Amino acid sequence: EDNYDLHGGQFRFQLPQQGFSVKTLTEQKPAHGRLSLTAPLPLYGNSILSERRMDCFYNPLHRVRDAISPSKPNLFILTLQTTALVLVMRYSRTQTSKTMYLVTTAVVVAESIKVISCLLIILRQVGFNISSFIKVVREECIGHFSETIKLAIPAGLYTIQNNLLYIALSNLDAATYQVTYQLKILTTAIFSVTMLGRRLSSTKWLALVLLMAGVSLVQMPTKGSHQAKDVSKSKQFLGLVAVLVACLSSGFSGVYFEKILKGTKSSIWVRNVQLGTFGFIFGLCGMLYKDYDLLVKNGFFQGYNNITWIVVFLQAIGGLIIAVVVKYADNILKGFATSISIIISSLLSYYVLQDFIPSQFFLYGTCVVLVATYLYSKPDAPTTPPNPSGSDKV
């Protein structure tokens, strides 16, 4: 039982050990009665992390959830990481160098770093006991191979998604591609509802539509920045199909990974080892298929410098942060963090790299994204009044 003093009121949480059963919350001052939370709440230490399906008639409960939820700092860190990755990656690809590093090798190295980092974390969790470490890895990754193989699905879909986006960009103009690809925001929400049973109010659906529209405006190419591609109707249709399938793949793989993380007893670091291993295998296959001749000619680490290594480490850290955000928040909030990072990175590109000029579309889109973020973060209003008989069960 733990006590917290939040927003001027004391709240007592009765939390079972390692539990996912019913938790109770009693507000002691000011007294508004007892609330029974019948929905399971994921635990992290002694704190409630998040509960998206909970209907509540008491504002103090919303304040408690918002005040101690660690998903917010995770989302903030993800926004910073994504912004930094975009800027550093853009800078690394615009450097004047005789030999440019291969993106495929960077992906493979990033997955390797991610796996090694998670293994080190697991080793630390078992007190640097090598025998216990080997036992955990063997039992989780080999002993439960049926669970391990499930992570091949999001890893494989990620590889397919990258190829589909390449096909889409080859057959669509930039404006059509940018607008259409934002449908992944809605597909993620739809899969969250159908696969996870998450309930979204009409206000949150409106916020998601606004977010999609705002990001589309932010990324809308300006006049003169590109030339429309002169392609046939059949190629345009192929490009649209490719980007739509990529949106479905993005939404499904993200929510599927979220379901695995939240519905398993294995630690998040074990799951990242499993996912990173498959990501490494698929990335290695893609690297050999696409850049085999260049690898033979110039070597694996061709074009690598200090900036390249920063990009690689940011990619690896980003994979770990995304897993934490998905575990303790959800994919929809991850989409909001990514959308805000697009705006921040664009502004920094204007002031720091000086390779971007904001247009009216960008300013309008920024306003729309901010409004969407505000609407989605608002607590839902109660759908039914509290029971006057004194039963305050949610």
Side-chain angles (χ1 to χ4, degrees), residues 118-126 133 136-137 269-270 273:
C118 291
L119 289 174
L120 291 175
I121 293 174
I122 296 172
L123 180 62
R124 181 181 180 276
Q125 288 179 336
V126 298
F133 170 75
V136 169
V137 175
W269 311 117
V270 170
V273 169

Side-chain angles (χ1 to χ4, degrees), residues 157-230:
L157 287 175
Y158 177 74
T159 303
I160 295 173
Q161 178 185 332
N162 284 340
N163 286 280
L164 287 172
L165 294 180
Y166 177 79
I167 295 173
L169 282 169
S170 300
N171 293 279
L172 293 174
D173 61 273
T176 303
Y177 166 80
Q178 293 287 13
V179 173
T180 310
Y181 189 47
Q182 301 316 315
L183 286 172
K184 65 181 181 179
I185 296 173
L186 290 183
T187 59
T188 299
I190 292 171
F191 281 118
S192 295
V193 171
T194 56
M195 295 175 62
L196 301 178
R198 184 169 291 126
R199 291 185 297 178
L200 299 177
S201 65
S202 56
T203 301
K204 283 183 166 49
W205 280 112
L206 174 61
L208 290 171
V209 174
L210 288 176
L211 180 68
M212 183 184 71
V215 176
S216 300
L217 288 173
V218 165
Q219 296 188 309
M220 184 73 70
T222 57
K223 292 182 178 180
S225 63
H226 71 288
Q227 294 181 348
K229 293 185 178 181
D230 186 15

Side-chain angles (χ1 to χ4, degrees), residues 18-316:
Q18 306 291 333
F20 285 88
S21 59
V22 175
K23 289 93 182 160
T24 60
L25 176 149
T26 303
E27 183 181 4
Q28 296 176 323
K29 183 181 72 176
H32 288 307
R34 182 170 180 150
L35 296 175
S36 296
L37 310 181
T38 58
L41 296 175
L43 301 181
Y44 180 76
N46 293 323
S47 301
I48 294 177
L49 288 174
S50 63
E51 175 50 59
R52 301 297 171 192
R53 297 168 297 177
M54 178 171 55
D55 294 323
C56 180
F57 308 117
Y58 286 78
N59 286 334
L61 183 58
H62 290 299
R63 293 201 297 269
V64 171
R65 180 191 64 190
D66 293 338
I68 64 177
S69 171
S71 62
K72 286 188 176 181
N74 291 332
L75 289 168
F76 177 74
I77 294 172
L78 175 61
T79 303
L80 291 181
Q81 180 273 334
T82 306
T83 303
L85 177 60
V86 170
L87 292 174
V88 177
M89 184 178 292
R90 182 179 297 175
Y91 177 74
S92 70
R93 302 302 290 181
T94 56
Q95 285 183 304
T96 55
S97 176
K98 294 182 179 179
T99 304
M100 182 64 67
Y101 73 92
L102 301 176
V103 175
T104 53
T105 63
V107 170
V108 171
V109 175
E111 292 295 334
S112 303
I113 294 174
K114 186 170 69 173
V115 171
I116 294 172
S117 300
C118 291
L119 289 174
L120 291 175
I121 293 174
I122 296 172
L123 180 62
R124 181 181 180 276
Q125 288 179 336
V126 298
F128 296 98
N129 188 310
I130 301 299
S131 60
S132 298
F133 170 75
I134 295 174
K135 180 181 178 181
V136 169
V137 175
R138 183 175 63 247
E139 288 181 355
E140 294 290 345
C141 297
I142 301 176
H144 299 90
F145 187 73
S146 60
E147 293 295 316
T148 300
I149 200 67
K150 290 180 180 178
L151 274 301
I153 296 176
L157 287 175
Y158 177 74
T159 303
I160 295 173
Q161 178 185 332
N162 284 340
N163 286 280
L164 287 172
L165 294 180
Y166 177 79
I167 295 173
L169 282 169
S170 300
N171 293 279
L172 293 174
D173 61 273
T176 303
Y177 166 80
Q178 293 287 13
V179 173
T180 310
Y181 189 47
Q182 301 316 315
L183 286 172
K184 65 181 181 179
I185 296 173
L186 290 183
T187 59
T188 299
I190 292 171
F191 281 118
S192 295
V193 171
T194 56
M195 295 175 62
L196 301 178
R198 184 169 291 126
R199 291 185 297 178
L200 299 177
S201 65
S202 56
T203 301
K204 283 183 166 49
W205 280 112
L206 174 61
L208 290 171
V209 174
L210 288 176
L211 180 68
M212 183 184 71
V215 176
S216 300
L217 288 173
V218 165
Q219 296 188 309
M220 184 73 70
T222 57
K223 292 182 178 180
S225 63
H226 71 288
Q227 294 181 348
K229 293 185 178 181
D230 186 15
V231 296
S232 64
K233 294 292 182 181
S234 60
K235 288 188 175 182
Q236 288 181 350
F237 179 76
L238 175 63
L240 284 174
V241 170
V243 74
L244 290 175
V245 174
C247 289
L248 292 173
S249 172
S250 175
F252 177 80
S253 59
V255 176
Y256 179 86
F257 184 48
E258 179 181 349
K259 185 174 183 178
I260 290 177
L261 285 179
K262 292 182 176 179
T264 182
K265 295 180 180 179
S266 300
S267 73
I268 188 175
W269 311 117
V270 170
R271 287 305 194 186
N272 265 301
V273 169
Q274 296 166 331
L275 181 66
T277 300
F278 286 114
F280 173 82
I281 294 172
F282 288 123
L284 190 64
C285 293
M287 179 190 70
L288 294 175
Y289 175 78
K290 183 180 179 183
D291 296 319
Y292 178 78
D293 292 337
L294 289 174
L295 289 169
V296 173
K297 181 180 180 181
N298 299 318
F300 186 92
F301 292 105
Q302 56 183 286
Y304 274 61
N305 53 32
N306 293 335
I307 300 298
T308 308
W309 284 109
I310 293 176
V311 171
V312 169
F313 277 104
L314 283 174
Q315 282 184 320

Side-chain angles (χ1 to χ4, degrees), residues 214-215 217-218 343 347 361-371:
V215 176
L217 288 173
V218 165
I343 296 174
L347 291 174
F361 286 129
F362 178 84
L363 298 177
Y364 297 151
T366 299
C367 294
V368 173
V369 168
L370 294 177
V371 170

